[in-house]
Amino acid sequence: MWLPSRAGEAWLTEAVAPWPCSTYLRIRVGDAEMAMAVEGARPVLSALAMLTAAGEEAKEVTR
């Protein structure tokens, strides 16, 4: 089973142009990288926050 490394980085990027451009959230973990428009990032980040909270809660129950 492939598991990504634990360390990663995330940053925002935006093209430099004389017209409005979308801002993108870029995420890199190990060799994997992805990007998404910030407009679509909020629901994904919210879901990830819920998953990590559930994981921490499950970890506490098993102790």
Side-chain angles (χ1 to χ4, degrees):
M1 173 174 22
W2 177 83
L3 295 174
S5 61
R6 292 179 181 249
E9 53 189 4
W11 66 98
L12 297 174
T13 61
E14 185 175 72
V16 178
W19 53 84
C21 297
S22 292
T23 301
Y24 283 85
L25 170 64
R26 299 181 62 88
I27 301 170
R28 181 185 305 139
V29 177
D31 292 336
E33 188 173 320
M34 67 166 289
M36 67 175 69
V38 293
E39 296 83 9
R42 184 179 294 264
V44 173
L45 294 173
S46 178
L48 286 172
M50 288 191 302
L51 283 172
T52 56
E56 287 298 317
E57 188 176 305
K59 190 192 247 183
E60 291 297 321
V61 170
T62 59
R63 288 185 181 178

